[in-house]
């Protein structure tokens, strides 16, 4: 008999109950425990020092919100079996298990073209084998292959438990109060109509606040210019290390990090014999920080400078523009760094970075937010809302960044 007294005290939601033995086993699994060594917001702590929370905490929060949502939907007459409730809770609990260190940084450097969602699925499949198929239903829901589509929407959709947790949790730990959404109110307004997740009409103002808060959090936290600058330094540092490794240069690295530095890992490597997944499951933030501390004294001038930038928070200076920057300006900086450091221009290019970031807070073509009215009709939030800026949120907002090394000592 499972002891339902297993609870966790969460700073955001209070006491979180672990409702089944399977979910407890998943939390205890090494794949999930690894998330406690990966920060939820990557390098955003360079901007908001309080942002020290982990993907472990976030994933537990999503499980709590999923349990609350299932209870709400059941109370409104929607049938969800105990197996389905456990399956959808397991899916949201493990939705981020495939994340690498520093959020998406590895997807641009060491593990290219392999989204974390794909790695999450690989890890779920391994756990499923270990548990004798207990995640069969979970995998169906996660991959949107289960007949009840609204269950997948709770895992991956406009109003999924991932977003409802990270907005409130990230707001809490960063101190950016504008992102503090009313997650409890939104959940109480959820219902199901024609197998689709909908929001009851009286909850429309909570959805308006949710979309506005999400926009503010993206530009104030997730895409904050200093956080972007820090990520560019990290990406360039790991890219330089990868280049040196490809030439046979000896680099300090943990076995897990060494595997990805000295091998060109593709998606097929994850599917082949399990070695890539084994090393990935051992990789977390501490591997990267340990390497950076040692690389500060490496003989390669580019790697040592970039590593010191990360360790000592000497981030790239960053400029933002609504229009692309002059390509000749980038070359000017590269030439200048090459001259001052007496290095080739191809190496000096690591000290300059140009990029764009873009986002839209609501895309009805992706997964619409339906507002359910008393007469049984359902309207998209962009039609149902009388707020002028809801339609604007569906438009892509793009910014151009130009980053470069601040100074050379």
């Amino acid at each position: 008999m499972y002891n339902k007294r297993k609870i966790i005290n969460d700073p955001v939601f209070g006491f979180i109950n672990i409702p089944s033995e399977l979910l407890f086993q998943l939390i205890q699994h090494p794949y999930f425990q690894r998330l406690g060594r990966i920060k939820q917001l990557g390098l955003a702590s360079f901007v908001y020092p309080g942002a020290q929370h982990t993907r472990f905490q976030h994933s537990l929060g999503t499980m709590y919100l999923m349990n609350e949502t299932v209870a709400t939907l059941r109370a409104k007459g929607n049938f969800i079996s105990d197996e389905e409730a456990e399956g959808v809770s397991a899916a949201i609990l493990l939705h981020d298990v495939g994340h690498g260190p520093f959020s998406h940084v590895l997807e641009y450097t060491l593990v290219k073209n392999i989204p974390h969602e794909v790695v999450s699925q690989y890890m779920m499949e391994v756990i499923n084998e270990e548990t004798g198929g207990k995640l069969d239903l979970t995998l169906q829901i996660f991959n949107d292959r289960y007949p009840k589509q609204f269950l997948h929407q709770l895992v991956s959709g406009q109003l999924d438990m991932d977003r409802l947790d990270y907005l409130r949790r990230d707001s809490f730990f960063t101190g950016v109060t504008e992102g503090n959404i009313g997650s409890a109110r939104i959940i109480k307004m959820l219902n199901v109509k024609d197998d689709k997740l909908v929001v009851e009409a009286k909850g429309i103002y909570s959805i308006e606040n949710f979309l506005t808060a999400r926009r503010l959090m993206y530009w104030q936290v997730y895409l904050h210019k200093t956080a972007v600058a820090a990520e560019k330094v990290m990406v360039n540092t790991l890219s330089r290390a990868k280049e040196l490794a490809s030439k046979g240069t000896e680099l300090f690295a943990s076995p897990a990090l060494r595997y990805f530095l000295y091998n060109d890992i593709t998606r097929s490597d994850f599917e082949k014999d399990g070695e890539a997944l084994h090393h990935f499951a051992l990789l977390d933030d501490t591997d990267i920080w340990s390497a950076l501390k040692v690389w500060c004294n490496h003989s390669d001038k580019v790697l040592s400078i970039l590593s010191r930038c990360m360790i000592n928070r000497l981030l790239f200076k960053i400029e933002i523009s609504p229009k692309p920057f002059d390509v000749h300006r980038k070359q000017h900086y590269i030439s200048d760094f090459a001259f001052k450091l007496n290095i080739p221009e191809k190496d000096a290019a690591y000290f300059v970075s140009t990029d764009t970031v873009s986002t839209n807070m609501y895309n009805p073509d992706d997964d619409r937010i339906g507002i359910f009215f008393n007469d049984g009709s359902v309207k998209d939030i962009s039609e149902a809302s009388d707020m002028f800026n809801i339609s604007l949120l569906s438009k892509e907002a793009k910014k151009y960044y130009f980053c470069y090394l601040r100074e050379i000592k």
Side-chain angles (χ1 to χ4, degrees), residues 240-250 261-262 346-347:
R240 179 60 173 181
K242 180 73 173 176
E243 180 189 0
L244 294 173
S246 69
K247 297 176 180 178
T249 303
E250 179 58 30
L261 281 176
Y262 286 87
K346 67 178 182 63
D347 292 346

Side-chain angles (χ1 to χ4, degrees), residues 53-64:
H53 56 304
T54 65
R55 292 200 174 273
F56 181 92
Q57 294 164 285
H58 160 64
S59 297
L60 289 175
T62 63
M63 181 191 69
Y64 165 80

Side-chain angles (χ1 to χ4, degrees), residues 203-213 381 385-387 390:
I204 190 169
Y205 301 118
S206 297
I207 301 304
E208 291 173 347
N209 177 65
F210 163 78
L211 292 173
T212 302
I381 180 66
S385 173
D386 56 6
M387 282 183 66
I390 290 293

Side-chain angles (χ1 to χ4, degrees), residues 119 127 151 188 193 210 214 224 245 248 265 287 320 355 365:
V119 183
I127 299 174
L151 292 177
K188 293 299 180 185
K193 171 72 173 177
F210 163 78
R214 189 162 175 255
H224 189 287
I265 302 303
D287 295 80
I320 309 172
D355 200 1
D365 295 330

Side-chain angles (χ1 to χ4, degrees), residues 285-341:
D285 290 3
T286 56
D287 295 80
I288 308 297
W289 284 122
S290 297
L292 289 172
K293 287 196 293 183
V294 178
W295 294 347
C296 285
N297 298 311
H298 196 275
S299 58
D300 180 76
K301 199 173 293 185
V302 175
L303 183 64
S304 63
I305 290 175
L306 290 173
S307 297
R308 288 200 299 272
C309 285
M310 287 304 306
I311 293 297
N312 299 319
R313 199 186 178 279
L314 302 173
L315 307 180
F316 283 178
K317 185 174 178 60
I318 185 166
E319 299 176 14
I320 309 172
S321 172
K323 299 179 180 180
F325 288 91
D326 185 351
V327 292
H328 299 294
R329 187 183 181 201
K330 180 178 180 180
Q331 183 57 47
H332 169 75
Y333 275 91
I334 291 175
S335 298
D336 186 50
F337 289 139
F339 173 75
K340 290 180 178 177
L341 290 169

